[in-house]
Amino acid sequence: MSYSTAEIWGIIAALAVATFLIRFSFLGLIGNRAMPPIVLRLLRYTPVAVLPGLVAPLVLWPAATGGQPDAVRLVAAAVALAVGLWTRQVIWAILSGFAALYIGLFVAGAF
């Protein structure tokens, strides 16, 4: 299966238009209207839900270990969670998890 350059650019343009229309349907058409308080409350938690959703597969099924969970990544995730709960600051949770991961990898001899 091969596509010509024009076909690839056509697909990219079609996807760009479709993505714009999907986002515009929410932001452009509803953006100026008042939203119910429950929706606004739920939208505040979206960033908090996205980060664990991105990190969880890297902790539970890391590609570096062939998809098998290992203690170093689980400990780093636990440290990040504990620091995040303690400080209520995302940046400290990320930095502490990062430090715990690389210290753990160094101690385990994998780094």
Side-chain angles (χ1 to χ4, degrees):
M1 175 185 310
S2 64
Y3 294 102
S4 68
T5 304
E7 290 173 329
I8 292 173
W9 281 109
I11 292 170
I12 291 172
L15 290 174
V17 170
T19 300
F20 175 79
L21 291 175
I22 289 171
R23 292 181 182 183
F24 183 75
S25 68
F26 289 102
L27 300 174
L29 298 177
I30 303 174
N32 291 335
R33 297 184 182 167
M35 299 177 93
I38 185 69
V39 173
L40 293 174
R41 184 174 180 184
L42 292 175
L43 286 174
R44 286 189 314 190
Y45 297 113
T46 302
V48 177
V50 168
L51 190 58
L54 293 172
V55 172
L58 299 173
V59 172
L60 298 175
W61 306 284
T65 61
Q68 298 298 319
D70 68 333
V72 173
R73 285 167 178 80
L74 293 174
V75 168
V79 168
L81 178 65
V83 170
L85 290 173
W86 180 48
T87 64
R88 303 275 184 200
Q89 297 289 322
V90 173
I91 191 68
W92 289 116
I94 292 171
L95 292 176
S96 65
F98 178 76
L101 175 66
Y102 279 96
I103 290 170
L105 290 174
F106 180 75
V107 169
F111 184 64

